[in-house]
Amino acid sequence: MPPALRVDRVAKRFGAVTALAGVDLEVAQGEFFGLLGPNGAGKTTLISALAGLVRTDDGKIEVMGCDVVADYRNARRQLGVVPQELVFDPFFTVRETLKIQSGYFGIRDNDDWIDEILANLDLTAKANANMRTLSGGMKRRVLVAQALVHRPPVIVLDEPTAGVDVELRQTLWQFIRRLNRDGHTIVLTTHYLEEAESLCTRIAMLQAGRVVALDTTANLLQRFSSHTLRLRLAPGASLPPGIKARAALHDGVWSLAFQHFEEVAPILAQLSAAGCCLENLEIGKPDLEEVFIRVMQGERGGMR
Amino acid sequence: MSGFRTLFYKEILRFWKVATQTVAAPVVTALLYLMIFSHVLESHVLVYGRVSYTAFLVPGLVMMSVLQNAFANSSSSLIQSKVTGNIIFVLLPPISYREFYAAYVLAAVARGLVVGLGVLLATLAFAPLAFDNVLWVLVFAALGGGIMGSLGVIAGIWADKFDQLAAFQNFLIMPLTFLSGVFYSIHSLPPFWQQVSHFNPIFYMIDGFRRGFFGISDVSPWTSLAIVGTCFALLTALTLAMLKRGYKLRN
Ligand SMILES: Nc1ncnc2c1ncn2[C@@H]1O[C@H](COP(=O)(O)OP(=O)(O)OP(=O)(O)O)[C@@H](O)[C@H]1O
Ligand SMILES: [Mg+2]
């Protein structure tokens, strides 16, 4: 079984800007994969290269084992892309847009599937509305629908939830999760890290056109983030020196990182022994935001 | 193959949905030309020694409409798609560059022929037309539309902004059409300008097209056919090479 995506030493420059500086990546079939990185990291360029929208300067890309240049017809049939930019054709209605898109892929009678997509994206009521009359969030949904008309096994979403309300986010993720359960491979870019953390099983982080972290979400969290005990002291109280040494102060809150929950009780015991009064106490889970920040600051934390 | 069919259909639907702008307006423009020029010149000019000026003018206007609208269709569709970004909807699917070319050019020819037919029908009231050989009429209309449709594809891909496209149209397409013998037989020109006209491919399109109506022309229709056919072949090769490289579209 070929991987859903194989990206091999892919490089792309725009004039003086190096958008991709030799990216290697493999996404297995059925994965829910996250592609993260700051603005300008090269995420959209990589997706454009997968989709054949830009010609790369170097390297090789395969979608489900099909080379995106030599065997572009098959590669493109396997791939559905939701672009980052909110684009639409003002000449057509939603349904016309989807029928035309199906036709481009050689699919003639696609009405049942189109109806199903429309229902799942809560667009049925707008099926015969002209694209121009839709709100931004609805246009975004149509872009998702367009990417799905040919039932591609690999679905790539470039910031699909930018400018989309909470309710649609929920519907959208439910739908995408269902597609993933049905066997579709999902590749997602987003700047909402909680979203990526809860959805993606594996994550690549891109910085200045390079992959700087690539691992399962669980491993990344474990390696770069920890549980933290956050303490706000009562006025006048101070931490005992032994604890203060391993704590960091931020906005009046002391944070202590720990690996195992067994460590918490002794810390609290020490505090009460020292007569240190607390105003508030929280336990924070490891989170992807911390991972992201630390990776972007250059920590490679035993990256394999 | 069906990617081509859908793209062709979409391009037809695109202009048909705004037919007032894309079909009716050019027909009205051509009628205005006809009324003004025939009013001024009808009593003074007899072309080829026996054809009234109005009758002579009609095929010229029909062909001019075919050419200008074929160019307008492919060029404006492409530049709009590029500027708005929705060009990616045709770049993502498995459509080959040949299918892409064929769809845009054939839709351009279709728009040209629809407008040309409209002009022809609208002008029938002004001058009774003879058809000496309908085959010439059809061949030159189709080839002329194909040439201008290809030029439209090139211009639409090359231009990044609407004003660049307008420049292409105003400084290349318009002068070439106006100076091609739409409004006059080049035999009425001074010898120097007659020579110059022979370097304008559009002259041959219109001359060959007129031949189909009157059975007389400035040059042999076979010469015209050879020149127009060669132009079409060269432009097709050039456009296909551009599309194959993905010039400005996949970069
Ligand atoms: N068509 C282009 N011409 C010139 N430079 C480009 C082009 N496309 C992208 N770039 C440059 O390539 C780099 C990567 O851009 P890209 O759009 O891939 O980033 P991104 O990771 O998707 O960012 P964002 O999170 O903002 O969407 C940037 O420096 C960008 O300016
Ligand atoms: Mg991007």
Side-chain angles (χ1 to χ4, degrees):
Chain A
M1 196 166 76
L5 294 179
R6 187 200 309 256
V7 177
D8 191 13
R9 289 175 296 103
V10 167
K12 175 70 187 174
R13 296 160 57 90
F14 293 105
V17 179
T18 302
L20 297 173
V23 170
D24 287 302
L25 210 59
E26 215 170 278
V27 177
Q29 287 186 35
E31 271 197 277
F32 204 127
F33 189 86
L35 189 60
L36 307 183
N39 292 136
K43 305 180 294 293
T44 299
T45 307
L46 182 59
I47 290 170
S48 304
L50 293 176
L53 295 176
V54 305
R55 300 261 154 92
T56 56
D57 303 329
D58 199 8
K60 191 172 154 54
I61 303 178
E62 287 175 9
V63 179
M64 302 290 278
C66 308
D67 189 283
V68 300
V69 180
D71 191 11
Y72 70 92
R73 276 185 190 270
N74 284 317
R76 290 186 201 166
R77 261 192 269 275
Q78 320 273 351
L79 188 67
V81 175
V82 182
Q84 178 175 4
E85 304 289 336
L86 206 54
V87 294
F88 63 97
D89 194 328
F91 283 91
F92 303 113
T93 67
V94 173
R95 186 176 290 282
E96 282 170 344
T97 300
L98 297 178
K99 287 182 86 130
I100 289 172
Q101 204 64 26
S102 306
Y104 290 158
F105 284 90
I107 306 164
R108 299 264 235 133
D109 305 310
N110 206 19
D111 286 307
D112 292 345
W113 176 234
I114 288 175
D115 285 333
E116 197 178 330
I117 307 175
L118 288 175
N120 274 297
L121 291 166
D122 213 3
L123 276 170
T124 308
K126 294 285 177 185
N128 297 314
N130 186 285
M131 287 301 299
R132 241 176 322 186
T133 66
L134 300 190
S135 74
M138 291 174 188
K139 287 184 187 127
R140 174 81 59 197
R141 296 182 219 184
V142 177
L143 280 180
V144 176
Q146 269 177 282
L148 299 176
V149 287
H150 57 297
R151 302 176 193 253
V154 184
I155 301 163
V156 179
L157 304 110
D158 197 352
E159 299 191 37
T161 47
V164 157
D165 68 32
V166 183
E167 202 180 333
L168 172 67
R169 262 186 217 201
Q170 299 299 330
T171 358
L172 180 62
W173 291 137
Q174 239 170 41
F175 186 34
I176 300 291
R177 274 196 157 119
R178 205 188 87 205
L179 291 169
N180 182 236
R181 271 198 306 277
D182 295 346
H184 295 262
T185 308
I186 313 288
V187 175
L188 167 71
T189 86
T190 177
H191 290 289
Y192 300 103
L193 296 174
E194 336 75 89
E195 215 167 71
E197 185 178 329
S198 70
L199 291 164
C200 303
T201 46
R202 216 155 63 89
I203 284 174
M205 292 192 186
L206 229 57
Q207 184 178 34
R210 278 174 213 287
V211 178
V212 290
L214 174 63
D215 210 335
T216 61
T217 313
N219 283 346
L220 286 171
L221 287 170
Q222 200 204 332
R223 202 173 302 154
F224 291 99
S225 185
S226 49
H227 285 91
T228 42
L229 191 59
R230 287 198 279 270
L231 309 168
R232 185 186 285 280
L233 305 184
S238 66
L239 288 177
I243 291 179
K244 197 169 180 172
R246 49 178 288 211
L249 183 65
H250 218 285
D251 290 333
V253 178
W254 291 94
S255 315
L256 282 102
F258 64 90
Q259 294 296 325
H260 306 287
F261 285 101
E262 294 75 49
E263 299 168 39
V264 177
I267 294 173
L268 295 180
Q270 260 179 284
L271 287 177
S272 71
C276 176
C277 282
L278 297 180
E279 200 165 71
N280 193 19
L281 178 151
E282 276 176 3
I283 291 186
K285 290 192 309 171
D287 71 6
L288 202 58
E289 194 162 319
E290 193 186 355
V291 177
F292 186 83
I293 290 168
R294 290 174 61 178
V295 169
M296 290 307 143
Q297 282 167 352
E299 284 184 45
R300 296 292 177 265
M303 191 183 137
R304 274 166 281 187
Chain B
M1 198 56 197
S2 85
F4 156 78
R5 215 160 35 200
T6 307
L7 186 53
F8 174 67
Y9 165 76
K10 184 220 81 170
E11 280 298 294
I12 298 281
L13 200 58
R14 196 195 70 94
F15 81 77
W16 196 245
K17 280 196 166 200
V18 284
T20 3
Q21 243 186 76
T22 54
V23 179
V27 171
V28 171
T29 311
L31 273 181
L32 287 175
Y33 277 126
L34 184 76
M35 291 199 288
I36 294 167
F37 280 90
S38 66
H39 173 73
V40 177
L41 296 173
E42 174 70 17
S43 50
H44 305 292
V45 185
L46 212 56
V47 190
Y48 308 135
R50 65 169 165 89
V51 178
S52 84
Y53 180 72
T54 309
F56 172 84
L57 183 56
V58 165
L61 287 174
V62 170
M63 192 58 170
M64 187 177 82
S65 307
V66 171
L67 300 178
Q68 287 182 348
N69 284 281
F71 178 83
N73 204 65
S74 49
S75 62
S76 67
S77 173
L78 278 166
I79 190 127
Q80 276 175 21
S81 292
K82 277 183 11 176
V83 169
T84 59
N86 65 41
I87 188 86
I88 67 160
F89 300 146
V90 292
L91 296 178
L92 288 171
I95 296 175
S96 74
Y97 69 96
R98 289 193 189 90
E99 289 175 289
F100 185 100
Y101 174 78
Y104 276 94
V105 172
L106 285 178
V109 173
R111 156 112 169 254
L113 293 182
V114 167
V115 175
L117 189 67
V119 174
L120 193 67
L121 293 176
T123 49
L124 275 183
F126 296 85
L129 268 188
F131 285 96
D132 180 71
N133 187 344
V134 183
L135 224 52
W136 285 135
V137 171
L138 291 177
V139 164
F140 282 100
L143 276 177
I147 286 177
M148 296 307 253
S150 297
L151 270 177
V153 172
I154 294 177
I157 290 175
W158 163 79
D160 298 315
K161 288 177 280 175
F162 286 99
D163 50 335
Q164 288 175 327
L165 186 59
F168 199 96
Q169 199 153 16
N170 293 331
F171 294 113
L172 190 70
I173 305 297
M174 290 296 273
L176 284 182
T177 9
F178 277 135
L179 302 177
S180 62
V182 171
F183 299 103
Y184 49 80
S185 158
I186 64 159
H187 283 308
S188 60
L189 291 176
F192 172 75
W193 289 107
Q194 275 193 37
Q195 284 305 310
V196 172
S197 298
H198 282 110
F199 289 98
N200 180 356
I202 298 181
F203 158 73
Y204 298 95
M205 297 177 204
I206 292 186
D207 199 56
F209 186 70
R210 261 198 192 109
R211 170 77 179 214
F213 290 89
F214 305 120
I216 326 173
S217 49
D218 288 328
V219 300
S220 149
W222 293 104
T223 312
S224 295
L225 182 63
I227 291 171
V228 171
T230 310
C231 279
F232 180 62
L234 289 177
L235 271 174
T236 300
L238 176 68
T239 321
L240 284 175
M242 256 172 91
L243 289 170
K244 187 176 182 189
R245 268 183 50 210
Y247 175 74
K248 288 213 180 178
L249 284 183
R250 297 190 188 273
N251 254 308

